[in-house]
């Protein structure tokens, strides 16, 4: 097994694409006819753009959604798309969705774990687990585990988990992942859930590549026009320097944000590009494999293009294995990749 921490895999491959590349650029020449994709949260923001792109390329797409009505409204008119119910904080709901899909007997070519919540006040699921961890990581781990037979059947499937630069806000706290003994800080909760996304992809790829399944985590970039930060307090954005005292996004910041078509490009590229046929378990951004952040990258929140690079702790093989074992314990889901 190659050690991710020495940067063997985690370095740009000079894909020919960049931060300005759009879904239209990366899907060019790719035919998804006869392929099946599942995109969680594929009815808003970059998830919706991902679904539209897959549909234009000929795929059949299932969108698991918590808000069925909103999903059906937003996906109206897009061909070959079906909406199904799921709540990533409710294990029985995940199992019911997966069981229904597996009953179709279809191979699953692309799974995009795209749904997520960000910067929410402290909430817990019925198990007592913190909501950002439960939604962003635990729910997607369980979903991927349940869908494994269909992924394996595809003989070349890809699993994309939408992470974030936010992983830089916190490593995974193995001692107290659910904030039972430490004070809750929403940015710490979000950060560790995104670190978990990266580590999950490392551990999944190590197990799944023998079956032709590759896993990737991605940072879409700072995207204009998504509703991800809808419940975050304005003071947070002002503290980061992105919004003025009246709560308006600063024009100079807005000018540097990605469009939704640019934001979804890395998801689509990782899900479909032949350039990644022999690579996996890496964190990608700006439509390429990201470079390790060894303290050599200056980050400024009012310059979204500087928010790049991946922390070594979040692609470390040892941490990835430790998280896999803990996640199986927390979810009660044994994810045997065989």
């Amino acid at each position: 097994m190659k050690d991710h921490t020495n940067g063997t895999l985690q370095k740009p491959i000079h894909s020919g694409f960049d931060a300005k590349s759009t879904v239209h650029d990366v899907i060019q020449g790719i035919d998804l006819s006869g392929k099946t994709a599942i995109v969680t949260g594929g009815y808003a923001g970059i998830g919706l753009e991902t679904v539209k792109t897959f549909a234009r390329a000929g795929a059949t797409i299932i969108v698991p959604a918590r808000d069925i009505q909103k999903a059906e409204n937003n996906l109206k008119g897009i061909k070959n798309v079906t909406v199904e119910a799921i709540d990533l904080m409710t294990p029985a709901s995940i199992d019911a969705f997966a069981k229904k899909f597996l009953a179709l007997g279809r191979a699953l070519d692309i799974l995009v774990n795209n749904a997520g919540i960000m910067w929410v006040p402290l909430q817990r699921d019925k198990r007592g687990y913190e909501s950002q961890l439960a939604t962003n990581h635990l729910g997607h781990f369980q979903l991927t585990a349940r869908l494994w037979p269909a992924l394996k059947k595809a003989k070349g499937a890809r699993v994309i988990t939408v992470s974030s630069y936010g992983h830089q806000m916190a490593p995974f706290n193995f001692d107290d992942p659910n904030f039972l003994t430490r004070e809750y800080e929403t940015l710490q909760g979000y950060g560790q859930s995104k670190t978990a996304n990266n580590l999950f992809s490392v551990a999944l790829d190590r197990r799944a590549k023998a079956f032709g399944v590759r896993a990737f985590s991605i940072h879409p970039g700072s995207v204009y026009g998504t509703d991800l930060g809808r419940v975050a307090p304005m003071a947070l954005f002002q503290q980061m320097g992105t919004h003025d005292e009246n709560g308006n996004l600063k024009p100079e910041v807005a000018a540097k944000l990605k469009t939704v078509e640019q934001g979804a490009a890395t998801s689509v590229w990782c899900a479909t590009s032949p350039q990644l046929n022999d690579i996996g378990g890496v964190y990608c951004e700006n439509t390429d494999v990201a470079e390790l952040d060894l303290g050599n990258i200056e980050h400024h929140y009012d310059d979204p293009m500087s928010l790049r690079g991946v922390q070594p702790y979040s692609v470390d093989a040892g941490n990835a294995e430790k998280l896999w074992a803990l996640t199986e314990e927390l979810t009660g889901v044994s994810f045997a990749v065989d």
Side-chain angles (χ1 to χ4, degrees):
M1 183 176 73
K2 285 181 180 171
D3 175 11
H4 281 76
T5 55
N6 67 12
T8 311
L9 298 173
Q10 192 64 59
K11 58 186 177 193
I13 62 168
H14 309 295
S15 65
F17 300 113
D18 58 25
K20 290 189 162 58
S21 298
T22 69
V23 289
H24 308 287
D25 299 323
V26 301
I27 202 68
Q28 210 168 342
I30 291 172
D31 182 8
L32 297 180
S33 301
K35 306 275 191 191
T36 300
I38 290 176
V39 183
T40 67
Y43 55 100
I46 64 164
L48 175 56
E49 197 58 42
T50 302
V51 169
K52 286 178 181 174
T53 307
F54 290 164
R56 281 194 300 267
T60 298
I61 306 120
I62 293 101
V63 176
R66 194 174 51 182
D67 187 337
I68 298 277
Q69 194 58 59
K70 180 179 175 182
E72 287 180 344
N73 289 343
N74 290 1
L75 293 161
K76 203 174 284 175
I78 305 171
K79 60 181 182 179
N80 299 328
V81 177
T82 314
V83 177
E84 297 286 353
I86 202 168
D87 181 347
L88 289 165
M89 279 176 65
T90 307
S93 161
I94 298 168
D95 285 351
F97 168 82
K99 188 178 177 185
K100 190 171 178 182
F101 178 78
L102 292 177
L104 300 172
R106 271 192 218 167
L108 177 57
D109 301 280
I110 299 169
L111 171 60
V112 185
N113 293 320
N114 167 84
I117 56 174
M118 176 171 95
W119 304 355
V120 295
L122 179 60
Q123 295 161 351
R124 299 186 183 279
D125 68 8
K126 286 179 180 158
R127 300 167 293 190
Y129 300 158
E130 188 272 325
S131 65
Q132 293 180 99
L133 179 64
T135 302
N136 299 350
H137 170 59
L138 300 178
H140 280 128
F141 177 93
Q142 181 173 342
L143 179 64
T144 309
R146 298 302 191 222
L147 293 171
W148 173 248
L151 288 163
K152 188 165 68 168
K153 192 184 283 190
K155 295 182 170 39
R158 298 209 182 159
V159 179
I160 315 306
T161 299
V162 177
S163 180
S164 167
Y165 170 80
H167 80 273
Q168 297 236 8
M169 293 171 178
F172 195 85
N173 188 311
F174 287 99
D175 298 323
D176 185 21
N178 288 300
F179 295 87
L180 298 176
T181 58
R182 57 184 169 137
E183 191 179 340
Y184 182 67
E185 288 180 35
T186 189
L187 294 181
Q188 291 289 301
Y190 181 68
Q192 80 157 0
S193 78
K194 295 289 118 179
T195 286
N197 289 158
N198 299 355
L199 293 172
F200 171 53
S201 296
V202 170
L204 177 61
D205 190 77
R206 188 179 79 78
R207 291 163 168 76
K209 63 186 174 187
F211 302 93
V213 181
R214 304 311 301 248
F216 304 87
S217 57
I218 72 108
H219 168 44
S222 303
V223 184
Y224 188 72
T226 73
D227 57 1
L228 187 57
R230 61 191 175 276
V231 297
M234 181 48 63
L236 262 181
F237 294 108
Q238 289 166 329
Q239 189 184 323
M240 289 196 249
T242 59
H243 289 63
D244 65 21
E245 65 278 7
N246 300 318
N248 299 312
L249 181 65
K250 293 178 181 175
E252 63 272 23
V253 176
K256 296 172 185 170
L257 295 178
K258 289 187 180 188
T259 64
V260 178
E261 290 88 352
Q262 290 168 333
T266 305
S267 295
V268 172
W269 180 69
C270 286
T272 62
S273 175
Q275 292 178 304
L276 295 169
N277 284 350
D278 301 316
I279 303 174
V282 289
Y283 171 93
C284 299
E285 65 189 3
N286 297 330
T287 348
D288 204 337
V289 179
E291 70 173 297
L292 281 173
D293 184 350
L294 303 171
N296 53 320
I297 304 170
E298 275 196 47
H299 307 295
H300 304 283
Y301 280 104
D302 58 356
D303 180 7
M305 283 308 297
S306 73
L307 305 181
R308 61 184 188 83
V310 62
Q311 282 294 329
Y313 61 65
S314 82
V315 289
D316 177 81
N319 286 345
E321 291 307 311
K322 193 174 172 183
L323 179 67
W324 189 280
L326 177 64
T327 305
E328 287 191 320
E329 192 184 308
L330 290 173
T331 57
V333 173
S334 171
F335 190 170
V337 177
D338 53 25

